Structures are given as structure tokens and as C-alpha cells.
Amino acid sequence: ECKLCPDGKPFANNGQTELPLQNGKTCADLEANDDCNENYQFLCGCEDVEPNCSLCPDGTPVPNRFLIIPSGDFVSQDTTCGTFDALFSTYSDSTCAANQEDMKSIAAYCGCPNME
């Protein structure tokens, strides 16, 4: 069985944090299924871990976390800005870089600072 957090430390919420757009799958489910993708460390609340990617380019928290982004180009269901921020926190550096253009329009819609 793998450990998601570095040094085998426990994660926050006893692993009950739900993964964005994963139909209720939790951080504990990742470990139980031996799927310890390090990109989930920040979302799952591991200590001393920073996200590779965030919705607001300057890393600030998303101002309008509960604002709904209607289904369409990005997702097949209505999704909040907070869910997108959580989703982007699981992206690797390369995935983050590859999605910058889409992320900019979502970031502006969600009220991230310094978006023009």
C-alpha cells in the first residue's frame, strides 16, 4: 500500500477530502487503490506541500469560490470556481503550462486579481 504524503505522514480530514470531478472519490481511496499520484498531495492536505498549479496565476486564493461556471467548453456539468481551483492544484507543471489559455479565462471569470 502506498502513502500519498511525503514521509508517510497522514493527510488532512482523515483522507475524506473529495477529489474534484471524480464522483465522490476521496484521498483515502487513492491510497486504498495504490494510486499515490504526488499531484494530489496539496489537495489532500499533506504537510509542507505546495501546489504545482493554481487557478489564480499569482497563487492567491480564488475570490469567488462558490461562483458557478456553467457547463460548456470546460466541463460537462456546472462547476464552481473553487472546484476548478482544486482541480488545477492537482495538475503537474507540464499540464498546468499546457492549459494556461483556458485557465486565464476561468481565472478572470472567477475574479482572480490582475487578470486583464
Side-chain angles (χ1 to χ4, degrees):
E1 182 177 294
C2 63
K3 291 291 181 193
L4 190 62
C5 294
D7 303 325
K9 292 179 180 170
F11 32 59
N13 303 326
N14 291 323
Q16 296 309 303
T17 300
E18 285 194 18
L19 307 177
L21 307 178
Q22 296 282 326
N23 298 319
K25 193 174 182 182
T26 66
C27 295
D29 292 332
L30 289 176
E31 278 193 351
N33 295 322
D34 236 10
D35 181 17
C36 289
N37 183 330
E38 66 184 24
N39 292 330
Y40 287 103
Q41 290 177 340
F42 176 78
L43 178 69
C44 291
C46 297
E47 293 178 20
D48 304 320
V49 175
E50 293 296 320
N52 293 324
C53 194
S54 61
L55 181 55
C56 293
D58 61 2
T60 58
V62 176
N64 300 314
R65 295 194 67 73
F66 301 104
L67 183 65
I68 299 287
I69 300 169
S71 62
D73 295 343
F74 304 110
V75 286
S76 58
Q77 64 197 47
D78 291 354
T79 306
T80 65
C81 292
T83 298
F84 266 106
D85 192 38
L87 178 66
F88 292 148
S89 79
T90 68
Y91 281 9
S92 65
D93 289 335
S94 58
T95 304
C96 190
N99 286 281
Q100 281 302 306
E101 287 308 309
D102 288 344
M103 290 169 64
K104 283 180 187 172
S105 58
I106 298 171
Y109 181 82
C110 292
C112 291
N114 305 316
M115 299 302 300
E116 315 228 325

